[in-house]
Amino acid sequence: VDTGRAREAVLLLPALHASHVAEGPALQRQEARILSAALQQAGDEAELSRLWSSLSRGQKSDPQVVAAYARRAVALGQAEAGIAAVEKTLRRHWSPELVAIYGALPRSGRHSPLKMAEAWLVDHPQDPALLVTLGQLCRHEQIWGKAEAYLQQALAHGAGAEAWEELGHVHAAQHDDARARTA
């Protein structure tokens, strides 16, 4: 997988399943690692699309796999496909890892990622990753008060360095250097 030959490893997944060398969560982790690497190594949009289409519903709901697909889709100029995959997965299976990635994906004018993320807040009001993502999205839209409020909530619910760094960016964007340094 690490040698740039993950696509070959994907072809060996049925044998890995049949061998029972790994089972349960260990098998799922290995499969996700191989699929993620194969997606990241896709040479072009067509290859990425073919591989993504060949995955099962369960494989497409694994946060590691979806994250790899989204990142590669963005790199190949298919950001909307990556964003759609992340949104679809988050509607079915909540993942703080994917929420964090969602906030970092580039946007077109299709819809507001802030509105989508705020809708998730109804079901996940104390999720630190979601609150940090909301802070990032508000900062990008220059909604300073809301950004700071979300980031303060994130910190209150256990968010760490990323929330502090984002809070520093919010203060710096408002030319509040003293608070930016403190954050």
Side-chain angles (χ1 to χ4, degrees):
V1 172
D2 296 331
T3 62
R5 298 173 59 184
R7 289 177 294 243
E8 294 172 34
V10 170
L11 299 175
L12 299 174
L13 282 175
L16 179 63
H17 282 270
S19 73
H20 300 290
V21 171
E23 293 181 342
L27 177 61
Q28 289 175 332
R29 282 190 303 274
Q30 185 64 19
E31 181 179 70
R33 185 173 163 259
I34 290 168
L35 292 173
S36 296
L39 289 163
Q40 286 290 350
Q41 294 169 17
D44 59 29
E45 177 185 327
E47 183 181 345
L48 180 66
S49 180
R50 257 192 319 275
L51 180 54
W52 183 250
S53 296
S54 73
L55 300 182
S56 71
R57 178 180 277 183
Q59 292 166 330
K60 287 180 181 178
S61 69
D62 184 286
Q64 181 181 353
V65 174
V66 176
Y69 172 74
R71 287 184 181 118
R72 189 63 184 148
V74 166
L76 294 173
Q78 298 299 310
E80 290 300 322
I83 291 166
V86 170
E87 289 175 348
K88 183 176 182 181
T89 301
L90 286 170
R91 278 193 293 274
R92 293 186 193 154
H93 307 282
W94 187 250
S95 164
E97 175 191 6
L98 283 181
V99 164
I101 289 167
Y102 185 76
L105 293 173
R107 302 289 175 213
S108 69
R110 185 173 63 95
H111 69 279
S112 169
L114 180 57
K115 287 182 183 176
M116 178 68 75
E118 285 180 328
W120 296 328
L121 195 57
V122 172
D123 293 326
H124 308 281
Q126 298 179 353
D127 187 298
L130 176 57
L131 292 165
V132 170
T133 294
L134 285 163
Q136 290 171 330
L137 294 171
C138 286
R139 178 174 61 89
H140 291 296
E141 294 191 21
Q142 298 181 0
I143 308 170
W144 309 122
K146 233 177 163 179
E148 186 172 350
Y150 282 134
L151 293 166
Q152 292 293 348
Q153 279 183 278
L155 290 165
H157 291 293
E162 187 177 8
W164 283 111
E165 184 176 346
E166 188 60 35
L167 190 57
H169 291 307
V170 168
H171 294 313
Q174 297 175 82
H175 308 289
D176 189 342
D177 295 335
R179 289 176 68 198
R181 280 191 302 273
T182 300

